[in-house]
Amino acid sequence: MQTLLDGISARLIETPRLTVNILERIADDPATPADRTVVFVHGNVASSLFWQEIMQDLPGDLRPIAVDLRGYGDTDHEPVDATRGVRDFSDDVHATLEALNLPATHLVGWGMGAGVVMQYALDHPVLSLTLESPVSPYGFGGTRRDGSRLTADDAGCGAGTANPDFVERLTAGDSSDEASTSPRNVFRSSYVAPGYRTEHEDVWVASMLSTSTATGNYPGDSVHSDNWPGYGAGPIGALNTVAPRYFDVSGIVDLERKPPILWIHGTADVVVSDASFSDVNQLGLLGIVPEWPGVDVAPPQEMVAQTRHVLGAYADAGGYVVELALEDVGHTPHLERPAVFRHELLAAIGYIGRPANPAPPTEAIVIASSD
């Protein structure tokens, strides 16, 4: 099937690390300066294809670029060393931008990709960060509200959280809606809020199916744990990169030069929330996973509260942060509320000014800044 939308093209970029696939707009000028370049980084079980609508809609004097991470889309399926957190991914993005002669750009990250761009900002200059439905700065699962780890082996985190039938259907390229664990139904139930409709669903499902399930890619390996629920994060693979033993980007608070940050997320997100259905501790609390040891031992991770705390500290330390929480929106605001996402992104990169009262009545916005 045709997966590229009108005006979008793909090309391969050779870097010293691996060959990376990127999407661009056909009409864009490669000489567009870096401060007019916006780089999009996708999340887990996705690819650059998910960014095409917003790329189409951005003004013509901007240059949007969407990158396939390793193991996704048409980028090489090199194994991921999870013991480096998401640095394999962020180093790949940096190598790609170096090959494109882009020293510093505006970065947009979604889900795990938001973790990638936060790590990038710790290691390299950036002009701004847009964090869409971001993984907590302390990783995914296995931490208390203050970011401290529940167990030394990150029990209940990493690749062991992946549904085996979902992984099998990814491997088989199942595009049907016959099972609740099919990628299409996972998209409908977890990526977007109820009621979302699109003519491009086949493209989004194809993007999900481009995920490599080879050893070292998605989801990765799981190791035995003596703690409930009996497994912990292994050293390889995509889901293990955001296990708290390997991933902590809360150090952005201490950046000397702090890029402005837009945090945009949906209040109906079931993936990244304070009661995530992807958090085994939340599933234990609900009785879905048996023998849960209780809230004192295995509390659900307060993902949104953790992000708000870290970004609040970032603002208190001199940064500028805008939070936009969209009512009745799931994990993909850029698909579900494209006009709002576009407006806020353009404000975040300084392309347009932000009005004094930017929030429509249906939105919730918090602005935290220190001048």
Short mmCIF file of all heavy atoms in Angstrom, two decimals, residues 279-331:
data_model
loop_
_atom_site.label_atom_id
_atom_site.label_comp_id
_atom_site.label_asym_id
_atom_site.label_seq_id
_atom_site.Cartn_x
_atom_site.Cartn_y
_atom_site.Cartn_z
N ASP A 279 1.14 -0.03 32.88
CA ASP A 279 1.92 -0.18 34.11
C ASP A 279 1.42 -1.41 34.85
O ASP A 279 0.26 -1.45 35.28
CB ASP A 279 1.76 1.08 34.96
CG ASP A 279 2.56 1.04 36.26
OD1 ASP A 279 3.20 0.01 36.55
OD2 ASP A 279 2.52 2.05 37.00
N VAL A 280 2.26 -2.42 35.02
CA VAL A 280 1.81 -3.67 35.64
C VAL A 280 1.33 -3.44 37.07
O VAL A 280 0.45 -4.15 37.57
CB VAL A 280 2.92 -4.73 35.59
CG1 VAL A 280 4.07 -4.39 36.53
CG2 VAL A 280 2.37 -6.12 35.91
N ASN A 281 1.87 -2.43 37.76
CA ASN A 281 1.42 -2.16 39.12
C ASN A 281 -0.01 -1.64 39.13
O ASN A 281 -0.79 -1.95 40.03
CB ASN A 281 2.36 -1.16 39.80
CG ASN A 281 3.72 -1.76 40.09
OD1 ASN A 281 3.96 -2.95 39.88
ND2 ASN A 281 4.64 -0.93 40.55
N GLN A 282 -0.37 -0.85 38.13
CA GLN A 282 -1.76 -0.41 37.99
C GLN A 282 -2.66 -1.60 37.68
O GLN A 282 -3.77 -1.72 38.23
CB GLN A 282 -1.87 0.64 36.88
CG GLN A 282 -3.29 1.08 36.55
CD GLN A 282 -3.97 1.85 37.67
OE1 GLN A 282 -3.30 2.35 38.57
NE2 GLN A 282 -5.28 1.94 37.61
N LEU A 283 -2.19 -2.51 36.84
CA LEU A 283 -2.98 -3.70 36.52
C LEU A 283 -3.12 -4.60 37.75
O LEU A 283 -4.15 -5.25 37.94
CB LEU A 283 -2.33 -4.47 35.37
CG LEU A 283 -2.21 -3.70 34.04
CD1 LEU A 283 -1.55 -4.58 32.98
CD2 LEU A 283 -3.57 -3.21 33.57
N GLY A 284 -2.09 -4.62 38.58
CA GLY A 284 -2.19 -5.38 39.83
C GLY A 284 -3.21 -4.77 40.77
O GLY A 284 -4.02 -5.48 41.37
N LEU A 285 -3.18 -3.45 40.89
CA LEU A 285 -4.15 -2.76 41.74
C LEU A 285 -5.58 -3.06 41.30
O LEU A 285 -6.48 -3.23 42.14
CB LEU A 285 -3.87 -1.26 41.70
CG LEU A 285 -4.73 -0.33 42.55
CD1 LEU A 285 -3.93 0.91 42.95
CD2 LEU A 285 -6.00 0.12 41.81
N LEU A 286 -5.80 -3.17 39.99
CA LEU A 286 -7.14 -3.44 39.46
C LEU A 286 -7.51 -4.92 39.51
O LEU A 286 -8.64 -5.28 39.16
CB LEU A 286 -7.22 -2.94 38.01
CG LEU A 286 -7.06 -1.43 37.80
CD1 LEU A 286 -7.02 -1.10 36.32
CD2 LEU A 286 -8.19 -0.66 38.50
N GLY A 287 -6.58 -5.77 39.93
CA GLY A 287 -6.86 -7.19 40.01
C GLY A 287 -6.69 -7.93 38.70
O GLY A 287 -6.99 -9.12 38.61
N ILE A 288 -6.17 -7.25 37.69
CA ILE A 288 -5.98 -7.89 36.38
C ILE A 288 -4.76 -8.80 36.40
O ILE A 288 -4.78 -9.89 35.80
CB ILE A 288 -5.84 -6.81 35.29
CG1 ILE A 288 -7.14 -6.00 35.20
CG2 ILE A 288 -5.50 -7.43 33.94
CD1 ILE A 288 -7.04 -4.77 34.30
N VAL A 289 -3.69 -8.39 37.09
CA VAL A 289 -2.53 -9.25 37.30
C VAL A 289 -2.59 -9.72 38.75
O VAL A 289 -2.64 -8.91 39.67
CB VAL A 289 -1.22 -8.49 37.03
CG1 VAL A 289 -0.01 -9.37 37.33
CG2 VAL A 289 -1.17 -8.00 35.58
N PRO A 290 -2.60 -11.04 38.97
CA PRO A 290 -2.85 -11.56 40.33
C PRO A 290 -1.66 -11.38 41.28
O PRO A 290 -0.54 -11.13 40.86
CB PRO A 290 -3.12 -13.04 40.07
CG PRO A 290 -2.41 -13.36 38.79
CD PRO A 290 -2.49 -12.10 37.96
N GLU A 291 -1.98 -11.54 42.56
CA GLU A 291 -1.00 -11.57 43.64
C GLU A 291 -0.24 -10.27 43.81
O GLU A 291 0.89 -10.24 44.27
CB GLU A 291 -0.02 -12.74 43.45
CG GLU A 291 -0.72 -14.10 43.42
CD GLU A 291 0.26 -15.26 43.23
OE1 GLU A 291 1.48 -15.00 43.22
OE2 GLU A 291 -0.20 -16.40 43.08
N TRP A 292 -0.88 -9.16 43.45
CA TRP A 292 -0.26 -7.85 43.65
C TRP A 292 0.06 -7.65 45.12
O TRP A 292 -0.80 -7.86 46.00
CB TRP A 292 -1.23 -6.77 43.16
CG TRP A 292 -0.76 -5.36 43.30
CD1 TRP A 292 0.36 -4.79 42.75
CD2 TRP A 292 -1.42 -4.31 44.01
NE1 TRP A 292 0.44 -3.46 43.07
CE2 TRP A 292 -0.64 -3.12 43.84
CE3 TRP A 292 -2.61 -4.24 44.76
CZ2 TRP A 292 -1.01 -1.91 44.42
CZ3 TRP A 292 -2.96 -3.02 45.32
CH2 TRP A 292 -2.17 -1.88 45.15
N PRO A 293 1.28 -7.21 45.47
CA PRO A 293 1.68 -7.11 46.87
C PRO A 293 1.19 -5.86 47.58
O PRO A 293 1.46 -5.69 48.78
CB PRO A 293 3.22 -7.12 46.80
CG PRO A 293 3.53 -6.56 45.46
CD PRO A 293 2.42 -7.01 44.56
N GLY A 294 0.48 -4.98 46.90
CA GLY A 294 -0.10 -3.82 47.56
C GLY A 294 0.62 -2.53 47.24
O GLY A 294 1.74 -2.50 46.72
N VAL A 295 -0.05 -1.43 47.58
CA VAL A 295 0.42 -0.11 47.19
C VAL A 295 1.71 0.28 47.90
O VAL A 295 2.50 1.07 47.37
CB VAL A 295 -0.69 0.94 47.42
CG1 VAL A 295 -0.91 1.17 48.92
CG2 VAL A 295 -0.37 2.25 46.71
N ASP A 296 1.97 -0.27 49.08
CA ASP A 296 3.21 0.06 49.78
C ASP A 296 4.42 -0.54 49.09
O ASP A 296 5.53 0.03 49.16
CB ASP A 296 3.15 -0.43 51.22
CG ASP A 296 2.16 0.35 52.07
OD1 ASP A 296 1.84 1.49 51.67
OD2 ASP A 296 1.70 -0.19 53.09
N VAL A 297 4.23 -1.67 48.42
CA VAL A 297 5.34 -2.38 47.76
C VAL A 297 5.41 -2.05 46.27
O VAL A 297 6.49 -1.82 45.72
CB VAL A 297 5.20 -3.91 47.95
CG1 VAL A 297 6.29 -4.66 47.18
CG2 VAL A 297 5.24 -4.26 49.43
N ALA A 298 4.26 -2.02 45.61
CA ALA A 298 4.23 -1.86 44.16
C ALA A 298 3.17 -0.83 43.75
O ALA A 298 2.18 -1.18 43.09
CB ALA A 298 3.97 -3.21 43.49
N PRO A 299 3.36 0.43 44.11
CA PRO A 299 2.38 1.45 43.73
C PRO A 299 2.44 1.75 42.24
O PRO A 299 3.52 1.69 41.63
CB PRO A 299 2.82 2.67 44.54
CG PRO A 299 4.30 2.49 44.70
CD PRO A 299 4.50 1.01 44.86
N PRO A 300 1.31 2.08 41.62
CA PRO A 300 1.36 2.55 40.23
C PRO A 300 2.23 3.80 40.12
O PRO A 300 2.29 4.62 41.03
CB PRO A 300 -0.10 2.87 39.91
CG PRO A 300 -0.90 2.02 40.86
CD PRO A 300 -0.08 1.98 42.12
N GLN A 301 2.92 3.91 38.99
CA GLN A 301 3.78 5.06 38.77
C GLN A 301 2.95 6.30 38.45
O GLN A 301 2.09 6.26 37.56
CB GLN A 301 4.75 4.78 37.62
CG GLN A 301 5.74 5.91 37.36
CD GLN A 301 6.56 5.70 36.11
OE1 GLN A 301 6.25 4.83 35.29
NE2 GLN A 301 7.62 6.48 35.94
N GLU A 302 3.21 7.40 39.13
CA GLU A 302 2.51 8.66 38.87
C GLU A 302 3.29 9.43 37.79
O GLU A 302 4.00 10.39 38.04
CB GLU A 302 2.41 9.46 40.16
CG GLU A 302 1.58 8.78 41.23
CD GLU A 302 1.49 9.59 42.50
OE1 GLU A 302 0.82 10.64 42.49
OE2 GLU A 302 2.11 9.19 43.49
N MET A 303 3.09 8.97 36.55
CA MET A 303 3.92 9.45 35.44
C MET A 303 3.73 10.94 35.17
O MET A 303 4.70 11.69 35.01
CB MET A 303 3.59 8.65 34.18
CG MET A 303 3.76 7.16 34.32
SD MET A 303 3.23 6.29 32.82
CE MET A 303 3.36 4.58 33.38
N VAL A 304 2.49 11.38 35.10
CA VAL A 304 2.21 12.78 34.79
C VAL A 304 2.68 13.67 35.94
O VAL A 304 3.28 14.73 35.71
CB VAL A 304 0.72 12.98 34.51
CG1 VAL A 304 0.38 14.46 34.33
CG2 VAL A 304 0.31 12.19 33.26
N ALA A 305 2.43 13.24 37.17
CA ALA A 305 2.87 14.03 38.32
C ALA A 305 4.39 14.15 38.35
O ALA A 305 4.94 15.21 38.70
CB ALA A 305 2.37 13.38 39.61
N GLN A 306 5.09 13.08 37.97
CA GLN A 306 6.55 13.13 37.93
C GLN A 306 7.04 14.13 36.89
O GLN A 306 7.94 14.93 37.15
CB GLN A 306 7.12 11.74 37.63
CG GLN A 306 6.97 10.75 38.77
CD GLN A 306 7.47 9.37 38.39
OE1 GLN A 306 7.49 8.99 37.21
NE2 GLN A 306 7.88 8.58 39.37
N THR A 307 6.43 14.09 35.71
CA THR A 307 6.82 15.03 34.65
C THR A 307 6.55 16.46 35.09
O THR A 307 7.39 17.36 34.90
CB THR A 307 6.08 14.72 33.36
OG1 THR A 307 6.44 13.40 32.91
CG2 THR A 307 6.41 15.72 32.26
N ARG A 308 5.39 16.69 35.70
CA ARG A 308 5.06 18.05 36.15
C ARG A 308 6.05 18.53 37.20
O ARG A 308 6.43 19.71 37.23
CB ARG A 308 3.63 18.08 36.68
CG ARG A 308 3.11 19.48 37.00
CD ARG A 308 1.62 19.48 37.26
NE ARG A 308 0.86 19.24 36.05
CZ ARG A 308 0.02 18.22 35.87
NH1 ARG A 308 -0.16 17.34 36.85
NH2 ARG A 308 -0.64 18.08 34.74
N HIS A 309 6.48 17.63 38.09
CA HIS A 309 7.44 18.01 39.12
C HIS A 309 8.78 18.40 38.50
O HIS A 309 9.37 19.44 38.85
CB HIS A 309 7.64 16.86 40.10
CG HIS A 309 8.75 17.08 41.08
ND1 HIS A 309 8.66 17.93 42.15
CD2 HIS A 309 10.01 16.56 41.12
CE1 HIS A 309 9.80 17.94 42.81
NE2 HIS A 309 10.64 17.13 42.21
N VAL A 310 9.28 17.59 37.58
CA VAL A 310 10.58 17.86 36.98
C VAL A 310 10.53 19.13 36.13
O VAL A 310 11.43 19.98 36.21
CB VAL A 310 11.06 16.65 36.14
CG1 VAL A 310 12.30 17.01 35.32
CG2 VAL A 310 11.37 15.46 37.05
N LEU A 311 9.48 19.30 35.34
CA LEU A 311 9.39 20.49 34.50
C LEU A 311 9.13 21.74 35.34
O LEU A 311 9.56 22.84 34.99
CB LEU A 311 8.32 20.32 33.44
CG LEU A 311 8.61 19.21 32.40
CD1 LEU A 311 7.55 19.22 31.31
CD2 LEU A 311 10.00 19.34 31.80
N GLY A 312 8.44 21.57 36.47
CA GLY A 312 8.30 22.69 37.38
C GLY A 312 9.64 23.12 37.96
O GLY A 312 9.93 24.31 38.07
N ALA A 313 10.47 22.14 38.30
CA ALA A 313 11.82 22.44 38.79
C ALA A 313 12.67 23.09 37.70
O ALA A 313 13.48 23.98 37.98
CB ALA A 313 12.48 21.17 39.31
N TYR A 314 12.46 22.66 36.46
CA TYR A 314 13.15 23.24 35.31
C TYR A 314 12.80 24.73 35.20
O TYR A 314 13.67 25.58 35.00
CB TYR A 314 12.72 22.48 34.06
CG TYR A 314 13.39 22.86 32.76
CD1 TYR A 314 14.56 22.21 32.34
CD2 TYR A 314 12.83 23.81 31.92
CE1 TYR A 314 15.14 22.52 31.13
CE2 TYR A 314 13.42 24.13 30.71
CZ TYR A 314 14.58 23.48 30.31
OH TYR A 314 15.15 23.78 29.10
N ALA A 315 11.51 25.04 35.35
CA ALA A 315 11.08 26.43 35.29
C ALA A 315 11.63 27.23 36.47
O ALA A 315 12.10 28.36 36.31
CB ALA A 315 9.55 26.50 35.27
N ASP A 316 11.60 26.64 37.66
CA ASP A 316 12.11 27.32 38.84
C ASP A 316 13.60 27.62 38.71
O ASP A 316 14.10 28.58 39.30
CB ASP A 316 11.88 26.47 40.09
CG ASP A 316 10.40 26.40 40.48
OD1 ASP A 316 9.62 27.24 40.00
OD2 ASP A 316 10.04 25.48 41.25
N ALA A 317 14.30 26.78 37.93
CA ALA A 317 15.74 26.96 37.74
C ALA A 317 16.06 27.90 36.59
O ALA A 317 17.23 28.05 36.21
CB ALA A 317 16.41 25.61 37.51
N GLY A 318 15.03 28.53 36.02
CA GLY A 318 15.27 29.53 34.98
C GLY A 318 14.77 29.16 33.61
O GLY A 318 14.93 29.95 32.66
N GLY A 319 14.17 28.00 33.45
CA GLY A 319 13.66 27.59 32.16
C GLY A 319 12.26 28.14 31.90
O GLY A 319 11.65 28.78 32.76
N TYR A 320 11.76 27.87 30.72
CA TYR A 320 10.40 28.29 30.35
C TYR A 320 9.64 27.06 29.90
O TYR A 320 10.08 26.32 29.01
CB TYR A 320 10.45 29.32 29.22
CG TYR A 320 9.08 29.80 28.78
CD1 TYR A 320 8.41 30.78 29.51
CD2 TYR A 320 8.46 29.26 27.66
CE1 TYR A 320 7.16 31.22 29.13
CE2 TYR A 320 7.21 29.71 27.27
CZ TYR A 320 6.55 30.67 28.00
OH TYR A 320 5.31 31.09 27.63
N VAL A 321 8.50 26.81 30.52
CA VAL A 321 7.73 25.60 30.27
C VAL A 321 6.27 25.97 30.06
O VAL A 321 5.70 26.73 30.85
CB VAL A 321 7.83 24.59 31.45
CG1 VAL A 321 6.98 23.35 31.17
CG2 VAL A 321 9.27 24.20 31.71
N VAL A 322 5.67 25.42 29.03
CA VAL A 322 4.23 25.51 28.83
C VAL A 322 3.68 24.09 28.87
O VAL A 322 4.17 23.20 28.15
CB VAL A 322 3.88 26.17 27.48
CG1 VAL A 322 2.39 26.04 27.19
CG2 VAL A 322 4.31 27.63 27.47
N GLU A 323 2.68 23.87 29.69
CA GLU A 323 1.96 22.60 29.72
C GLU A 323 0.58 22.81 29.13
O GLU A 323 -0.15 23.72 29.54
CB GLU A 323 1.82 22.05 31.14
CG GLU A 323 0.97 20.76 31.17
CD GLU A 323 0.60 20.30 32.56
OE1 GLU A 323 1.09 20.90 33.54
OE2 GLU A 323 -0.18 19.34 32.67
N LEU A 324 0.20 21.96 28.20
CA LEU A 324 -1.14 21.99 27.64
C LEU A 324 -1.74 20.60 27.78
O LEU A 324 -1.25 19.64 27.17
CB LEU A 324 -1.11 22.40 26.17
CG LEU A 324 -2.47 22.66 25.52
CD1 LEU A 324 -3.18 23.82 26.21
CD2 LEU A 324 -2.31 22.94 24.03
N ALA A 325 -2.76 20.48 28.62
CA ALA A 325 -3.46 19.22 28.84
C ALA A 325 -4.79 19.27 28.08
O ALA A 325 -5.65 20.09 28.41
CB ALA A 325 -3.69 18.99 30.33
N LEU A 326 -4.95 18.40 27.11
CA LEU A 326 -6.11 18.43 26.23
C LEU A 326 -7.17 17.45 26.71
O LEU A 326 -6.91 16.24 26.82
CB LEU A 326 -5.69 18.08 24.79
CG LEU A 326 -4.60 18.97 24.19
CD1 LEU A 326 -4.27 18.52 22.78
CD2 LEU A 326 -5.02 20.43 24.20
N GLU A 327 -8.36 17.96 26.97
CA GLU A 327 -9.45 17.13 27.46
C GLU A 327 -9.92 16.16 26.37
O GLU A 327 -9.99 16.50 25.19
CB GLU A 327 -10.63 18.01 27.89
CG GLU A 327 -10.32 18.94 29.05
CD GLU A 327 -10.07 18.19 30.35
OE1 GLU A 327 -10.60 17.07 30.49
OE2 GLU A 327 -9.38 18.73 31.22
N ASP A 328 -10.23 14.93 26.79
CA ASP A 328 -10.78 13.90 25.90
C ASP A 328 -9.86 13.57 24.75
O ASP A 328 -10.31 13.19 23.66
CB ASP A 328 -12.16 14.33 25.37
CG ASP A 328 -13.16 14.61 26.48
OD1 ASP A 328 -13.17 13.84 27.46
OD2 ASP A 328 -13.89 15.60 26.38
N VAL A 329 -8.56 13.69 24.96
CA VAL A 329 -7.54 13.35 23.97
C VAL A 329 -6.67 12.24 24.55
O VAL A 329 -6.37 12.23 25.74
CB VAL A 329 -6.69 14.59 23.60
CG1 VAL A 329 -5.48 14.20 22.77
CG2 VAL A 329 -7.55 15.61 22.86
N GLY A 330 -6.29 11.30 23.68
CA GLY A 330 -5.49 10.17 24.12
C GLY A 330 -3.99 10.41 24.00
O GLY A 330 -3.49 11.49 24.32
N HIS A 331 -3.29 9.40 23.48
CA HIS A 331 -1.82 9.41 23.46
C HIS A 331 -1.24 10.18 22.28
O HIS A 331 -0.04 10.40 22.23
CB HIS A 331 -1.33 7.95 23.44
CG HIS A 331 0.12 7.77 23.69
ND1 HIS A 331 0.75 8.24 24.83
CD2 HIS A 331 1.10 7.17 22.95
CE1 HIS A 331 2.03 7.92 24.78
NE2 HIS A 331 2.27 7.29 23.65
#
